[in-house]
Amino acid sequence: MTQVSADIRQRVEALRAALDDHNYHYYVLDDPRIPDAEYDRLFRELQSLEAEYPELVSDESPTRRVGSTAETSFQEVIHRLPMLSLDNAFSDDELREFDRRVRDRLSTDEPIEYVCEPKLDGLAVSLHYEQGVLIRAATRGDGYAGEDITANIRTIPSVPLKLRGSNIPELVEVRGEVYMPKAGFEKLNARLATQGEKTFVNPRNAAAGSLRQKKSTVTAKRPLELCAYSMAVTDESLLPETHWDSLQTVREWGFRINPEMRKAQGADACLDAYNELMQKRESLPYEIDGIVFKVNRIDLQQQLGFVSRAPRWAIAHKFPAQEELTVIEDVEFQVGRTGAVTPVARLKPVFVGGVTVSNATLHNMDEVRRLDVHIGDTVFIRRAGDVIPQVVKVVVEKRPQDAADVAMPTHCPVCDSDIVQIEGEAVARCSGGLYCPAQRKEAIRHYASRKALDIEGLGDKLIDVLVDDGMVKTVADLYRLTKFQLSSLERMGDKSASNLIAAIDRSRNPVLWRFIYALGIREVGEATAKGLASYFGSLEAISQASDEALQEVPDVGPIVAGHVRSFFDQPHNQETLEALKDAGVVWQQEQVTDRGARPLAGQTWVLTGTLSQMTRDQAKEMLEALGAKVAGSVSKKTACVVAGEAAGSKLAKAEQLGLPVLDEAGLRALLDEHGLTV
Ligand code: IVH
């Protein structure tokens, strides 16, 4: 065995003390003193020294929080002192009654001092320290017996493995709540989702699930924290006079206590604390489900004692629940102003997060599938703060026999245009952009916007009025507005009416790209509109172009091409374009750039077999110069197959599909015709 020098021993001790100290500043004082990178360096130095000198390894070392892959069996632990629960006050009156009872029992009319603590939404744990060293951690269980979770608890960075300071009683028990901060919960769920694993409904379940892991290495990767809320010592003479002071002591030992904690004299002050904490609820980095009031003086606590399983000196005042169960009675589809079709669950009304909720968005069909939602299902609804209500989980066990699948409609429930879902997009959309009443206002706003047809004076508010009054249904109706109609509107003088009519008039003759942009086709911005205009030259050409032809335009990929196609495929959109023409809107044709030289634009060709007068690469290059795409396999969309010598299966397939086939001579003739020679 190597002799470990005193220097090394000292360095190891110094590193452990430094790391413990940094942890304490970080988790307990919320005041980190060194950057994470520096912490990591010290950590690694300690790790490598411990690896080199195994005799220095100690259970209290901060490196020992990584957990172990050995499976825990969660042995039963009998609590030395039962872990009680709390009575609840459900209203201000019940809280006042509680305070009244306390004062009656203590025969006093003086206001009682209470400690007000956030009620963290996690799991209660009990931690035992012997000579300042963590020896056992247990869950609450039924209050009398819990489970040994020492291995998992040790992985939580805010749990001291060794207590700080001097004057530490021989035996102490500290109790507190293990919880998962909101940010960590979101990250964990995102990670689980990308790994295709089940996500957790809320941070509380995530904390419980993480603590119940058989392998503590898994727990070590979960963002858990501990907040202490009470201490117990065998020798009661060691207890401070107040609960407040006992928590300060616990803090000095190295535990995190809740920074929102405060004292209040009497019931009114407690209710103020309740209301203030409720205001803060959303902005706290962790979830709380209420506030706990505890009589501060320990001697008074002892006088009050316990009744059945709860202390008489404490009570929890709950906040409105943020999760409830209800039933999905139907799923309907809503069309947003940009055409997005969203499944919305119609719920049996339920009181959650302080309001009655009867609808919850299901976002899109991916989400419906992820949640496995059926009509008739019982679901968890969650509404936290101002966030819109969410369906977080289906209770599959409660699914009725006649539960129905949720299917995306094929036609828009508002305007009956086709609903399309472009591959690669989660959202399905109504393709009747110019016509659909749900999209009307947005379509007109976009059409009139500065970068589109720039109709001065046609602002959002006026559009609202025109549409709501039924004067304008589609953009074509703008051109039929009369000065008389306009000046009858509230706050619209003669002059503004004339100005608006003139501005609408000026938009009758747009350049093609602006007009294309103004149509508001999904994902067709200015640059794409310009590209389409200069490539095709006319709206008619664009509206007839195939998917492949559209993709010849720079920056147009399958998704944009899909949106353009589905827009022009809708009869209602075509009707609106006709109506625009009838109203005297004439979009200018555009000079076509470089298309004359691309006679094969939009076509896919396939080369097979051996060519004698040119290489395949040369042939490919020339076909591409004429605008073709050259693909490796034959399908019914292939425009033509060039078959050289010894062409095999591709030629056979082309013949089977009845596709045009050129031999090498035919190809040369074609190239010749367009001035290309080898
Ligand atoms: S004191 C005898 N303080 O609430 C008093 N409990 O319903 C026992 N809890 O199981 C608990 N925050 O999990 C106390 N500041 C707090 C708390 C708190 C959360 C939980 C704890 C307990 C449950 C009681």
Short mmCIF file of all heavy atoms in Angstrom, two decimals, residues 84-86 117-120 123-124 140 177 229 292 294 311 313, ligand 1:
data_model
loop_
_atom_site.label_atom_id
_atom_site.label_comp_id
_atom_site.label_asym_id
_atom_site.label_seq_id
_atom_site.Cartn_x
_atom_site.Cartn_y
_atom_site.Cartn_z
N LEU A 84 -46.17 13.30 11.23
CA LEU A 84 -47.59 13.63 11.20
C LEU A 84 -47.97 14.39 9.94
O LEU A 84 -47.10 14.83 9.19
CB LEU A 84 -47.93 14.47 12.43
CG LEU A 84 -47.58 13.76 13.74
CD1 LEU A 84 -47.59 14.74 14.88
CD2 LEU A 84 -48.56 12.63 13.99
N SER A 85 -49.26 14.51 9.77
CA SER A 85 -49.69 15.36 8.65
C SER A 85 -50.30 16.62 9.23
O SER A 85 -50.28 16.84 10.44
CB SER A 85 -50.67 14.61 7.75
OG SER A 85 -51.80 14.30 8.51
N LEU A 86 -50.83 17.46 8.36
CA LEU A 86 -51.37 18.75 8.80
C LEU A 86 -52.86 18.81 8.54
O LEU A 86 -53.33 18.29 7.52
CB LEU A 86 -50.71 19.88 8.00
CG LEU A 86 -49.22 20.14 8.26
CD1 LEU A 86 -48.67 21.08 7.20
CD2 LEU A 86 -49.05 20.75 9.65
N GLU A 117 -44.91 29.48 6.46
CA GLU A 117 -43.95 28.86 5.52
C GLU A 117 -44.70 28.39 4.27
O GLU A 117 -45.78 27.83 4.39
CB GLU A 117 -43.31 27.61 6.14
CG GLU A 117 -42.57 27.86 7.41
CD GLU A 117 -42.19 26.54 8.11
OE1 GLU A 117 -42.25 25.47 7.46
OE2 GLU A 117 -41.85 26.62 9.29
N PRO A 118 -44.10 28.59 3.11
CA PRO A 118 -44.72 28.02 1.91
C PRO A 118 -44.87 26.51 2.08
O PRO A 118 -44.00 25.88 2.67
CB PRO A 118 -43.72 28.33 0.80
CG PRO A 118 -42.90 29.45 1.33
CD PRO A 118 -42.85 29.28 2.81
N LYS A 119 -45.98 25.98 1.62
CA LYS A 119 -46.15 24.53 1.65
C LYS A 119 -45.64 23.99 0.32
O LYS A 119 -46.30 24.14 -0.71
CB LYS A 119 -47.62 24.18 1.87
CG LYS A 119 -47.84 22.70 2.09
CD LYS A 119 -49.26 22.46 2.62
CE LYS A 119 -49.50 21.03 3.02
NZ LYS A 119 -49.36 20.07 1.92
N LEU A 120 -44.46 23.43 0.37
CA LEU A 120 -43.83 22.95 -0.87
C LEU A 120 -44.55 21.71 -1.37
O LEU A 120 -44.97 20.87 -0.56
CB LEU A 120 -42.37 22.61 -0.60
CG LEU A 120 -41.48 23.80 -0.29
CD1 LEU A 120 -40.18 23.33 0.32
CD2 LEU A 120 -41.22 24.59 -1.57
N LEU A 123 -42.19 15.81 -1.47
CA LEU A 123 -42.37 14.67 -0.57
C LEU A 123 -41.63 14.92 0.73
O LEU A 123 -40.49 15.37 0.71
CB LEU A 123 -41.71 13.43 -1.14
CG LEU A 123 -42.26 12.79 -2.34
CD1 LEU A 123 -41.51 13.34 -3.53
CD2 LEU A 123 -42.04 11.32 -2.23
N ALA A 124 -42.28 14.53 1.84
CA ALA A 124 -41.65 14.71 3.14
C ALA A 124 -40.57 13.63 3.32
O ALA A 124 -40.78 12.48 2.97
CB ALA A 124 -42.70 14.57 4.23
N ARG A 140 -41.89 9.37 4.26
CA ARG A 140 -42.88 9.47 5.32
C ARG A 140 -43.67 8.16 5.45
O ARG A 140 -44.02 7.75 6.55
CB ARG A 140 -43.81 10.63 5.00
CG ARG A 140 -44.95 10.79 5.96
CD ARG A 140 -45.68 12.09 5.70
NE ARG A 140 -46.79 12.23 6.62
CZ ARG A 140 -47.99 11.69 6.44
NH1 ARG A 140 -48.22 10.97 5.36
NH2 ARG A 140 -48.94 11.85 7.33
N GLU A 177 -38.77 18.84 2.84
CA GLU A 177 -39.47 18.44 1.62
C GLU A 177 -38.47 18.31 0.49
O GLU A 177 -37.67 19.21 0.25
CB GLU A 177 -40.51 19.54 1.28
CG GLU A 177 -41.55 19.11 0.30
CD GLU A 177 -42.76 18.41 0.96
OE1 GLU A 177 -42.66 18.02 2.15
OE2 GLU A 177 -43.77 18.24 0.28
N TYR A 229 -37.78 21.87 7.06
CA TYR A 229 -38.81 22.62 7.77
C TYR A 229 -38.97 22.25 9.24
O TYR A 229 -39.81 22.83 9.91
CB TYR A 229 -40.14 22.63 7.03
CG TYR A 229 -40.73 21.28 6.68
CD1 TYR A 229 -41.12 20.38 7.65
CD2 TYR A 229 -40.93 20.94 5.34
CE1 TYR A 229 -41.66 19.15 7.32
CE2 TYR A 229 -41.48 19.72 4.99
CZ TYR A 229 -41.84 18.83 5.99
OH TYR A 229 -42.38 17.63 5.66
N VAL A 292 -48.20 27.10 5.32
CA VAL A 292 -48.35 26.41 6.61
C VAL A 292 -48.13 27.44 7.71
O VAL A 292 -47.17 28.21 7.65
CB VAL A 292 -47.31 25.27 6.76
CG1 VAL A 292 -47.57 24.49 8.05
CG2 VAL A 292 -47.35 24.33 5.56
N LYS A 294 -47.43 27.86 11.73
CA LYS A 294 -47.01 27.07 12.89
C LYS A 294 -46.83 28.01 14.08
O LYS A 294 -46.20 29.06 13.93
CB LYS A 294 -45.67 26.38 12.60
CG LYS A 294 -45.72 25.40 11.44
CD LYS A 294 -44.34 24.84 11.12
CE LYS A 294 -44.43 23.88 9.93
NZ LYS A 294 -43.10 23.50 9.41
N PRO A 311 -50.71 17.92 14.42
CA PRO A 311 -50.46 18.78 15.59
C PRO A 311 -51.58 19.81 15.74
O PRO A 311 -52.17 20.24 14.75
CB PRO A 311 -49.14 19.47 15.24
CG PRO A 311 -49.05 19.42 13.75
CD PRO A 311 -49.82 18.22 13.30
N TRP A 313 -50.90 22.69 16.83
CA TRP A 313 -50.23 23.99 16.73
C TRP A 313 -49.90 24.41 15.30
O TRP A 313 -49.21 25.40 15.08
CB TRP A 313 -48.96 23.99 17.58
CG TRP A 313 -48.11 22.73 17.43
CD1 TRP A 313 -48.12 21.65 18.26
CD2 TRP A 313 -47.17 22.44 16.40
NE1 TRP A 313 -47.24 20.69 17.82
CE2 TRP A 313 -46.64 21.15 16.67
CE3 TRP A 313 -46.71 23.12 15.27
CZ2 TRP A 313 -45.68 20.54 15.86
CZ3 TRP A 313 -45.75 22.52 14.47
CH2 TRP A 313 -45.26 21.25 14.76
S1 IVH B 1 -44.75 20.59 8.63
C1 IVH B 1 -46.28 18.18 11.96
N1 IVH B 1 -43.98 22.37 6.87
O1 IVH B 1 -47.08 18.93 3.91
C2 IVH B 1 -46.00 19.01 10.79
N2 IVH B 1 -44.97 20.38 6.10
O2 IVH B 1 -49.70 17.87 5.00
C3 IVH B 1 -45.61 18.24 9.63
N3 IVH B 1 -45.09 20.20 3.66
O3 IVH B 1 -46.13 15.67 4.76
C4 IVH B 1 -45.28 18.96 8.42
N4 IVH B 1 -44.13 22.13 3.22
O4 IVH B 1 -44.79 16.87 2.97
C5 IVH B 1 -44.56 21.17 7.06
N5 IVH B 1 -43.20 24.01 5.42
C6 IVH B 1 -43.77 22.82 5.62
C7 IVH B 1 -44.19 22.00 4.55
C8 IVH B 1 -44.79 20.79 4.83
C9 IVH B 1 -44.66 21.03 2.69
C10 IVH B 1 -45.78 18.90 3.41
C11 IVH B 1 -45.11 17.72 4.04
C12 IVH B 1 -46.14 17.07 4.88
C13 IVH B 1 -47.41 17.64 4.37
C14 IVH B 1 -48.42 17.74 5.49
#
